[in-house]
Amino acid sequence: MSPGQWTIAVLPGDGIGPEVTRAATTILQDCAREFGFRVNLVEYPFGGIAIDQCGKPLPQETLDGCLKADAVLLGAVGGPKWDSQPLDRRPEAGLLGLRQALRVYANVRPIQLRKALRGLCPLRLGAETKVDFEIIRELVGDIYFGAHTTEGRGDAERASDVATYSVPEIERITRFAFTRARLRAHRVTSVDKANVLATSRLWRRTVTRMAADASDLAIDHLYVDNASMQIILRPDQFDVLLTSNLFGDILSDEAAALAGSIGMVPSWSAGDGPPLVEPIHGTAPQLVGKDVANPSGAILCVSLLLREQFHLPEAADLIERSVDAVLAEGMRTADIAEPGARTISGSQFASEVCARMRTAGERAQPQGA
């Protein structure tokens, strides 16, 4: 990876994926001009569109391009058109395969209620209550990657999905979560179902053992059902939530409601290969072609990428301040609009963010420059 010059594999995917990805790449290119770095954006088919074009959700050309890139930007995959496909040929199978191939084992999902959207939070928050925590989701183990079997027919049909974890897999994601906590408020809540599941008992034993050597951190444990309740009752008690693949998927969608909309939440997947950034929302087939999808999650993915992978915190801050400025001026896509409020399109929202970025850049220029 050359300093200041990066190749990004762009996978727009399906549904509203291309719309929000277009907004994100526009923001990224504006940042490149403003901060003097170069990005080479290379687009590849992925997901359902790749099934239609190439017969498989993760074509070899796409995989090769992602492995050679410095990072991967994904829109979303899936949709009703491909729901009848066998599990191993659905768009989601391409996503699981990509995560495995990139060796991205840690998924960071920041849950942050932005000031301008405070009124959209479904909770009655106190004046000083903050919603600002990270869900660290293990990404390449658990029931998603275990054996899947179906046998018999009719009333005799049976299906099983096997959840598996090893000690090294749990140790790896725990170390990652501890590192994230040291960048924040030094608190980790590990979420499991150790009163029922063998994988969760192994998870808790492993995290507890590692906690003994992390005296600088405050570490506690919650069962997943209690954790889901506590996210609603007292979200401000959390700093870093560490959990398994399945639980992290479910809890992060629940927590997204606290941020005002699932369309506001980005994610960053890190590991031993190129990182993958993607908004956590789905393809929203009912919104396709209407230009109403909220691009904020995809835009904030660019912020995550610049901050975490390319070490450009000033550029990341500019994006986030610009999103906040647009929201503060009352500009809303439909999913984050108060009842009866005027809404703008997704492309308009992205254009307004770009405009705020340029204005901020001009203000930062030295006088007479």
Side-chain angles (χ1 to χ4, degrees), residues 75-101:
V77 294
K81 179 179 180 181
W82 305 282
D83 283 351
S84 61
Q85 294 277 356
L87 284 176
D88 61 350
R89 293 185 59 80
R90 287 180 57 158
E92 294 81 359
L95 181 56
L96 297 181
L98 180 64
R99 289 170 178 170
Q100 277 191 313

Short mmCIF file of all heavy atoms in Angstrom, two decimals, residues 75-101:
data_model
loop_
_atom_site.label_atom_id
_atom_site.label_comp_id
_atom_site.label_asym_id
_atom_site.label_seq_id
_atom_site.Cartn_x
_atom_site.Cartn_y
_atom_site.Cartn_z
N GLY A 75 -21.87 -2.21 -0.99
CA GLY A 75 -23.19 -1.60 -0.80
C GLY A 75 -24.10 -2.49 0.00
O GLY A 75 -24.27 -2.31 1.21
N ALA A 76 -24.69 -3.49 -0.62
CA ALA A 76 -25.57 -4.46 0.05
C ALA A 76 -25.84 -5.58 -0.95
O ALA A 76 -25.73 -5.37 -2.17
CB ALA A 76 -26.88 -3.81 0.50
N VAL A 77 -26.20 -6.76 -0.44
CA VAL A 77 -26.51 -7.87 -1.35
C VAL A 77 -27.78 -8.58 -0.93
O VAL A 77 -28.18 -8.56 0.23
CB VAL A 77 -25.36 -8.91 -1.43
CG1 VAL A 77 -24.12 -8.30 -2.05
CG2 VAL A 77 -25.05 -9.50 -0.06
N GLY A 78 -28.42 -9.21 -1.91
CA GLY A 78 -29.60 -10.02 -1.65
C GLY A 78 -30.87 -9.40 -2.21
O GLY A 78 -30.86 -8.31 -2.76
N GLY A 79 -31.95 -10.15 -2.10
CA GLY A 79 -33.25 -9.68 -2.58
C GLY A 79 -34.15 -10.84 -2.92
O GLY A 79 -33.70 -11.99 -3.10
N PRO A 80 -35.45 -10.57 -3.02
CA PRO A 80 -36.43 -11.63 -3.28
C PRO A 80 -36.17 -12.41 -4.56
O PRO A 80 -36.52 -13.59 -4.66
CB PRO A 80 -37.77 -10.88 -3.37
CG PRO A 80 -37.53 -9.53 -2.82
CD PRO A 80 -36.07 -9.25 -2.88
N LYS A 81 -35.55 -11.77 -5.54
CA LYS A 81 -35.31 -12.43 -6.82
C LYS A 81 -34.50 -13.70 -6.66
O LYS A 81 -34.66 -14.65 -7.45
CB LYS A 81 -34.60 -11.45 -7.76
CG LYS A 81 -34.27 -12.02 -9.12
CD LYS A 81 -33.59 -10.99 -10.01
CE LYS A 81 -33.26 -11.56 -11.37
NZ LYS A 81 -32.57 -10.56 -12.24
N TRP A 82 -33.61 -13.74 -5.66
CA TRP A 82 -32.70 -14.88 -5.51
C TRP A 82 -33.01 -15.72 -4.29
O TRP A 82 -32.26 -16.62 -3.94
CB TRP A 82 -31.26 -14.35 -5.44
CG TRP A 82 -30.89 -13.50 -6.61
CD1 TRP A 82 -30.56 -13.91 -7.88
CD2 TRP A 82 -30.87 -12.07 -6.64
NE1 TRP A 82 -30.33 -12.83 -8.68
CE2 TRP A 82 -30.50 -11.67 -7.96
CE3 TRP A 82 -31.11 -11.07 -5.70
CZ2 TRP A 82 -30.39 -10.35 -8.34
CZ3 TRP A 82 -30.99 -9.74 -6.07
CH2 TRP A 82 -30.63 -9.39 -7.38
N ASP A 83 -34.14 -15.47 -3.63
CA ASP A 83 -34.46 -16.19 -2.40
C ASP A 83 -34.68 -17.69 -2.62
O ASP A 83 -34.51 -18.48 -1.68
CB ASP A 83 -35.70 -15.60 -1.73
CG ASP A 83 -35.41 -14.31 -1.00
OD1 ASP A 83 -34.22 -13.96 -0.86
OD2 ASP A 83 -36.37 -13.63 -0.57
N SER A 84 -35.07 -18.07 -3.82
CA SER A 84 -35.33 -19.49 -4.08
C SER A 84 -34.07 -20.27 -4.40
O SER A 84 -34.11 -21.50 -4.53
CB SER A 84 -36.33 -19.63 -5.24
OG SER A 84 -35.79 -19.06 -6.43
N GLN A 85 -32.94 -19.59 -4.53
CA GLN A 85 -31.67 -20.28 -4.81
C GLN A 85 -31.26 -21.13 -3.61
O GLN A 85 -31.58 -20.81 -2.46
CB GLN A 85 -30.58 -19.25 -5.09
CG GLN A 85 -30.78 -18.43 -6.36
CD GLN A 85 -30.30 -19.17 -7.60
OE1 GLN A 85 -29.76 -20.27 -7.51
NE2 GLN A 85 -30.50 -18.57 -8.75
N PRO A 86 -30.53 -22.22 -3.83
CA PRO A 86 -29.96 -22.97 -2.70
C PRO A 86 -29.06 -22.05 -1.87
O PRO A 86 -28.53 -21.06 -2.38
CB PRO A 86 -29.13 -24.07 -3.40
CG PRO A 86 -29.71 -24.18 -4.77
CD PRO A 86 -30.19 -22.82 -5.14
N LEU A 87 -28.90 -22.38 -0.59
CA LEU A 87 -28.14 -21.51 0.32
C LEU A 87 -26.76 -21.17 -0.22
O LEU A 87 -26.29 -20.04 -0.08
CB LEU A 87 -28.02 -22.18 1.69
CG LEU A 87 -29.27 -22.16 2.59
CD1 LEU A 87 -29.00 -22.95 3.86
CD2 LEU A 87 -29.69 -20.73 2.90
N ASP A 88 -26.10 -22.15 -0.84
CA ASP A 88 -24.72 -21.90 -1.28
C ASP A 88 -24.65 -21.11 -2.58
O ASP A 88 -23.56 -20.82 -3.07
CB ASP A 88 -23.95 -23.22 -1.42
CG ASP A 88 -24.57 -24.16 -2.46
OD1 ASP A 88 -25.70 -23.87 -2.93
OD2 ASP A 88 -23.93 -25.17 -2.81
N ARG A 89 -25.81 -20.77 -3.15
CA ARG A 89 -25.80 -19.99 -4.39
C ARG A 89 -26.57 -18.68 -4.25
O ARG A 89 -26.77 -17.96 -5.22
CB ARG A 89 -26.40 -20.82 -5.54
CG ARG A 89 -25.53 -22.02 -5.93
CD ARG A 89 -26.10 -22.73 -7.14
NE ARG A 89 -26.21 -21.87 -8.30
CZ ARG A 89 -25.19 -21.55 -9.10
NH1 ARG A 89 -23.98 -22.03 -8.86
NH2 ARG A 89 -25.37 -20.78 -10.15
N ARG A 90 -26.99 -18.37 -3.03
CA ARG A 90 -27.65 -17.10 -2.80
C ARG A 90 -26.62 -15.98 -2.70
O ARG A 90 -25.43 -16.22 -2.44
CB ARG A 90 -28.49 -17.18 -1.53
CG ARG A 90 -29.74 -18.02 -1.69
CD ARG A 90 -30.54 -18.08 -0.42
NE ARG A 90 -30.92 -16.74 0.06
CZ ARG A 90 -31.95 -16.53 0.88
NH1 ARG A 90 -32.69 -17.54 1.29
NH2 ARG A 90 -32.22 -15.32 1.29
N PRO A 91 -27.03 -14.73 -2.88
CA PRO A 91 -26.07 -13.61 -2.77
C PRO A 91 -25.34 -13.58 -1.44
O PRO A 91 -24.14 -13.26 -1.39
CB PRO A 91 -26.97 -12.38 -2.93
CG PRO A 91 -28.13 -12.86 -3.75
CD PRO A 91 -28.36 -14.28 -3.33
N GLU A 92 -26.03 -13.95 -0.36
CA GLU A 92 -25.41 -13.92 0.96
C GLU A 92 -24.25 -14.90 1.07
O GLU A 92 -23.31 -14.67 1.85
CB GLU A 92 -26.46 -14.22 2.03
CG GLU A 92 -27.54 -13.17 2.17
CD GLU A 92 -28.66 -13.29 1.15
OE1 GLU A 92 -28.61 -14.20 0.29
OE2 GLU A 92 -29.60 -12.48 1.21
N ALA A 93 -24.29 -15.98 0.29
CA ALA A 93 -23.17 -16.92 0.29
C ALA A 93 -21.91 -16.26 -0.24
O ALA A 93 -20.79 -16.56 0.20
CB ALA A 93 -23.52 -18.16 -0.55
N GLY A 94 -22.08 -15.36 -1.20
CA GLY A 94 -20.93 -14.61 -1.70
C GLY A 94 -20.31 -13.74 -0.63
O GLY A 94 -19.08 -13.61 -0.54
N LEU A 95 -21.16 -13.13 0.22
CA LEU A 95 -20.65 -12.29 1.29
C LEU A 95 -19.88 -13.10 2.32
O LEU A 95 -18.79 -12.71 2.76
CB LEU A 95 -21.82 -11.55 1.95
CG LEU A 95 -21.47 -10.59 3.09
CD1 LEU A 95 -20.46 -9.55 2.64
CD2 LEU A 95 -22.72 -9.93 3.63
N LEU A 96 -20.43 -14.25 2.71
CA LEU A 96 -19.71 -15.11 3.65
C LEU A 96 -18.38 -15.57 3.07
O LEU A 96 -17.36 -15.59 3.76
CB LEU A 96 -20.58 -16.31 4.03
CG LEU A 96 -21.89 -16.01 4.76
CD1 LEU A 96 -22.62 -17.31 5.07
CD2 LEU A 96 -21.67 -15.21 6.01
N GLY A 97 -18.40 -15.92 1.77
CA GLY A 97 -17.17 -16.35 1.12
C GLY A 97 -16.14 -15.24 1.04
O GLY A 97 -14.93 -15.46 1.22
N LEU A 98 -16.60 -14.02 0.79
CA LEU A 98 -15.69 -12.88 0.73
C LEU A 98 -15.06 -12.61 2.09
O LEU A 98 -13.85 -12.36 2.19
CB LEU A 98 -16.44 -11.64 0.24
CG LEU A 98 -15.61 -10.36 0.11
CD1 LEU A 98 -14.53 -10.53 -0.95
CD2 LEU A 98 -16.51 -9.17 -0.24
N ARG A 99 -15.85 -12.66 3.15
CA ARG A 99 -15.30 -12.43 4.49
C ARG A 99 -14.23 -13.47 4.82
O ARG A 99 -13.18 -13.13 5.38
CB ARG A 99 -16.42 -12.49 5.53
CG ARG A 99 -17.36 -11.30 5.49
CD ARG A 99 -18.58 -11.53 6.37
NE ARG A 99 -19.48 -10.37 6.38
CZ ARG A 99 -20.70 -10.38 6.91
NH1 ARG A 99 -21.19 -11.49 7.44
NH2 ARG A 99 -21.44 -9.27 6.89
N GLN A 100 -14.50 -14.73 4.46
CA GLN A 100 -13.51 -15.76 4.70
C GLN A 100 -12.24 -15.52 3.91
O GLN A 100 -11.12 -15.63 4.42
CB GLN A 100 -14.08 -17.13 4.35
CG GLN A 100 -14.92 -17.75 5.46
CD GLN A 100 -15.23 -19.21 5.16
OE1 GLN A 100 -15.64 -19.54 4.04
NE2 GLN A 100 -15.06 -20.06 6.13
N ALA A 101 -12.39 -15.18 2.63
CA ALA A 101 -11.24 -14.98 1.76
C ALA A 101 -10.40 -13.78 2.19
O ALA A 101 -9.16 -13.81 2.11
CB ALA A 101 -11.70 -14.82 0.31
#
